[in-house]
Amino acid sequence: MKGDKVKAEHVSLPPLVCACASLRRAARAVTQAYDAELRETGLNPSQFGLLYFLWKYGEVSQGKLGELLSIDTTTLTRTLEPLRKSGWIRARAGDDRRERRWSLTPAGERKRASATPHWEAAQARLRSQLGAGRFQSLLSELALVAESVRDSQ
């Protein structure tokens, strides 16, 4: 009837036969959860991930960054540019004129540090929902999947 409230039911998701579709569905769901936690920081999960990566690993070439994160050059450039314009990362020429080397600025470190509690909240929620062991296994398995696919191309 019109106006009646309908109680939301938990809908179990069916397994998909395609690894690509399954990973993309999971990635969209996880991205939405992290995006919700990071929203008030002004960063999306991809931007936070880049700031975190540069904080953890230091200066890195754009080519190596794309390779390690499995991001194509065009997408990586589109993701890096707003971070550069905000003053959170900087590029310098590498040994080869064509190479760009990216690093975190002090402002970028402050931005990463202020956003980290929000990211940690998303991590903690997912870890709690999956269980600590399954969460850690997921991280390891996903790295293996990415490496296996990359090595087969």
Side-chain angles (χ1 to χ4, degrees):
M1 284 185 242
K2 204 173 195 178
D4 287 347
K5 291 185 178 181
V6 177
K7 187 175 179 178
E9 291 183 38
H10 175 74
V11 177
S12 294
L13 297 175
L16 302 174
V17 296
C18 172
C20 182
S22 296
L23 286 167
R24 289 177 64 86
R25 176 176 64 184
R28 283 189 300 272
V30 171
T31 298
Q32 289 167 6
Y34 278 72
D35 197 39
E37 289 291 344
L38 288 167
R39 189 166 290 123
E40 73 182 61
T41 71
L43 294 171
N44 65 42
S46 295
Q47 292 169 328
F48 178 82
L50 284 167
L51 292 180
Y52 191 89
F53 186 91
L54 291 172
W55 170 74
K56 184 166 181 154
Y57 296 103
E59 185 180 76
V60 64
S61 73
Q62 186 163 335
K64 183 57 82 174
L65 189 58
E67 179 184 335
L68 292 171
L69 298 176
S70 296
I71 302 174
D72 67 271
T73 303
T74 303
T75 302
L76 182 56
T77 299
R78 276 196 318 262
T79 307
L80 290 168
E81 192 56 23
L83 298 175
R84 186 195 63 75
K85 283 182 177 177
S86 295
W88 300 328
I89 62 173
R90 68 177 150 252
R92 72 170 182 84
D95 297 334
D96 177 339
R97 272 191 356 216
R98 298 167 294 172
E99 180 185 59
R100 294 177 88 186
R101 299 191 61 77
W102 291 95
S103 61
L104 203 56
T105 65
E109 165 48 21
R110 288 189 300 275
K111 186 65 172 177
R112 184 215 53 86
S114 71
T116 294
H118 300 273
W119 172 78
E120 287 174 341
Q123 289 274 96
R125 181 174 292 120
L126 187 56
R127 186 180 299 108
S128 173
Q129 290 166 333
L130 292 175
R134 185 178 273 168
F135 179 81
Q136 201 54 49
S137 292
L138 175 66
L139 297 180
S140 298
E141 291 296 319
L142 289 173
L144 180 62
V145 168
E147 188 172 344
S148 297
V149 172
R150 182 191 69 190
D151 291 347
S152 71
Q153 295 177 346

